[in-house]
Amino acid sequence: MNTHPAGPHAAAPAPAASPAARGSRDRVLLAGTVATGLVAGTYFAFTCAVMPGLAATDDRTFVAAMQAINVKIENPVFFAGFFGAFVLPLIAVFRQRKAGGGAALRWTIAGLALYTAGLLTTMGFNIPLNNTLKDAGDAAALADPGAVRRDFEDPWVAWNIVRTVASTAAAGCLVYAMRLRGRAAAGS
């Protein structure tokens, strides 16, 4: 005799996760959300402060400043956030999927996809432009710093806006996923 209300072939509901397992998933999602927000904030700072500030400088100063920024940003703290904003939500996706998914999983996937778009923009456009700027040589010795700046500034700013929007939207999705996780935990 079949006593399961959904029929003999219905999947049994997933067992409820222990509070410790839920907490671990939530901590990974929280860390990924924070890392994504930090990266989005870095891009946003370039969009509304750094690049407009440098736009007011002469060509040689602009090139020298961006070369220096590009060297200094390559540090362990930035890389932890930059790559953590990809890796941590990816781990959260796998953990949430293993636990049965739901709406929080969909929002986490959306956040991961949007951050990935920003990451690919950075790697495909901003970093190659940074490398071209570096390869131009010492700003003080450039024969035509204006040409170097023209080849760099407008495309870099445009791609920075793309990655700013993508990363900010990613952070928003992850914040909403956190909210849904909080609701789910409160209902357990």
Side-chain angles (χ1 to χ4, degrees), residues 21-37 84-96 101 103-112 170-184:
R22 277 193 314 271
S24 175
R25 279 195 311 272
D26 292 347
R27 283 189 295 277
V28 170
L29 180 57
L30 175 61
T33 303
V34 169
T36 303
F86 175 76
V87 171
L88 293 165
L90 181 63
I91 293 168
V93 164
F94 284 109
R95 287 183 169 190
Q96 289 175 25
L105 171 62
R106 291 188 292 276
W107 283 97
T108 305
I109 290 170
L112 177 61
C173 289
L174 295 175
V175 166
Y176 192 66
M178 287 291 303
R179 182 175 180 200
L180 293 172
R181 290 290 311 136
R183 284 183 186 167

Side-chain angles (χ1 to χ4, degrees), residues 5-181:
H9 301 292
S18 72
R22 277 193 314 271
S24 175
R25 279 195 311 272
D26 292 347
R27 283 189 295 277
V28 170
L29 180 57
L30 175 61
T33 303
V34 169
T36 303
L38 289 170
V39 173
T42 299
Y43 297 158
F44 183 72
F46 271 91
T47 298
C48 43
V50 175
M51 298 312 286
L54 289 176
T57 65
D58 65 85
D59 296 336
R60 202 170 302 280
T61 300
F62 176 90
V63 172
M66 280 305 299
Q67 287 175 332
I69 289 168
N70 291 335
V71 168
K72 292 299 183 182
I73 201 160
E74 292 183 7
N75 66 71
V77 174
F78 177 75
F79 286 143
F82 183 72
F83 292 112
F86 175 76
V87 171
L88 293 165
L90 181 63
I91 293 168
V93 164
F94 284 109
R95 287 183 169 190
Q96 289 175 25
R97 189 168 173 213
K98 185 177 177 183
L105 171 62
R106 291 188 292 276
W107 283 97
T108 305
I109 290 170
L112 177 61
L114 286 162
Y115 185 78
T116 301
L119 180 74
L120 293 175
T121 298
T122 299
M123 295 176 129
F125 299 101
N126 294 92
I127 291 174
L129 286 164
N130 292 346
N131 291 338
T132 299
L133 192 67
K134 175 184 172 188
D135 294 343
D138 182 12
L142 291 174
D144 188 358
V148 173
R149 179 180 184 165
R150 281 189 299 279
D151 290 344
F152 175 86
E153 186 175 17
D154 287 343
W156 195 95
V157 167
W159 288 114
N160 185 63
I161 291 169
V162 170
R163 69 187 184 168
T164 300
V165 170
S167 298
T168 301
C173 289
L174 295 175
V175 166
Y176 192 66
M178 287 291 303
R179 182 175 180 200
L180 293 172
R181 290 290 311 136

